[in-house]
């Protein structure tokens, strides 16, 4: 059974940084991307950043572009999300997820919803 295990969440002041990690027991079958999604309190889940498992392509939500960086270490099957200059509105439960999307890759909102999810890690940013 595929497991995606997140870590690295916590509380931080606005302007600070956090790095999230997600370790995959294996890359799920019929998936070609892995990434991060978040769900703020009382709001719908939204894409943050995804990366092609084969490398070479990353997609970011406009709200985090330039502040967050996604990276993937295939040797240990771990995806990271470096979050810099955090804002209060970044507060949310962050989920690691994997899915299959055949393109286009221009906007994260149009990427096919993942079919594998982790349990989530909480990020709280105080203003």
């Amino acid at each position: 059974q595929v497991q995606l295990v997140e870590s690295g969440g916590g509380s931080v002041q606005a302007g600070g940084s956090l790095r999230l990690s997600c370790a995959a027991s294996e890359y799920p079958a019929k998936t070609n991307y892995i990434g991060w999604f978040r769900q703020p309190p009382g709001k719908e889940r939204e894409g943050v950043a995804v990366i092609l498992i084969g490398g070479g392509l990353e997609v970011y939500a406009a709200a985090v572009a330039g502040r967050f960086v996604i990276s993937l270490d295939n040797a240990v099957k771990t995806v990271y999300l470096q979050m810099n200059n955090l804002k209060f509105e970044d507060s949310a439960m962050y989920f690691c997820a994997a899915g299959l999307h055949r393109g286009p890759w221009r906007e994260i909102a149009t990427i096919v919803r993942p079919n594998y999810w982790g349990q989530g890690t909480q990020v709280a940013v105080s203003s």
Side-chain angles (χ1 to χ4, degrees), residues 41-109:
K43 296 185 179 180
E44 293 186 356
R45 199 168 294 188
E46 61 185 10
V48 176
V50 301
I51 186 167
L52 270 182
I53 292 174
L57 191 146
E58 303 157 20
V59 183
Y60 294 91
V64 307
R67 298 187 297 122
F68 292 11
V69 178
I70 189 170
S71 60
L72 178 63
D73 186 340
N74 280 314
V76 291
K77 295 184 180 62
T78 299
V79 61
Y80 304 95
L81 186 68
Q82 177 66 42
M83 305 186 295
N84 300 319
N85 191 21
L86 281 159
K87 303 177 180 180
F88 176 76
E89 51 265 38
D90 294 318
S91 299
M93 182 70 80
Y94 282 71
F95 298 90
C96 178
L100 177 66
H101 181 70
R102 302 197 185 280
W105 295 89
R106 285 188 291 273
E107 295 184 16
I108 200 164

Side-chain angles (χ1 to χ4, degrees), residues 11-69:
S11 298
V12 64
Q13 287 189 330
S17 298
L18 283 174
R19 189 174 85 150
L20 306 183
S21 300
C22 170
S25 58
E26 59 184 281
Y27 288 138
K30 297 182 181 180
T31 61
N32 64 349
Y33 77 84
I34 190 167
W36 295 92
F37 294 72
R38 68 186 181 186
Q39 187 164 16
K43 296 185 179 180
E44 293 186 356
R45 199 168 294 188
E46 61 185 10
V48 176
V50 301
I51 186 167
L52 270 182
I53 292 174
L57 191 146
E58 303 157 20
V59 183
Y60 294 91
V64 307
R67 298 187 297 122
F68 292 11
V69 178

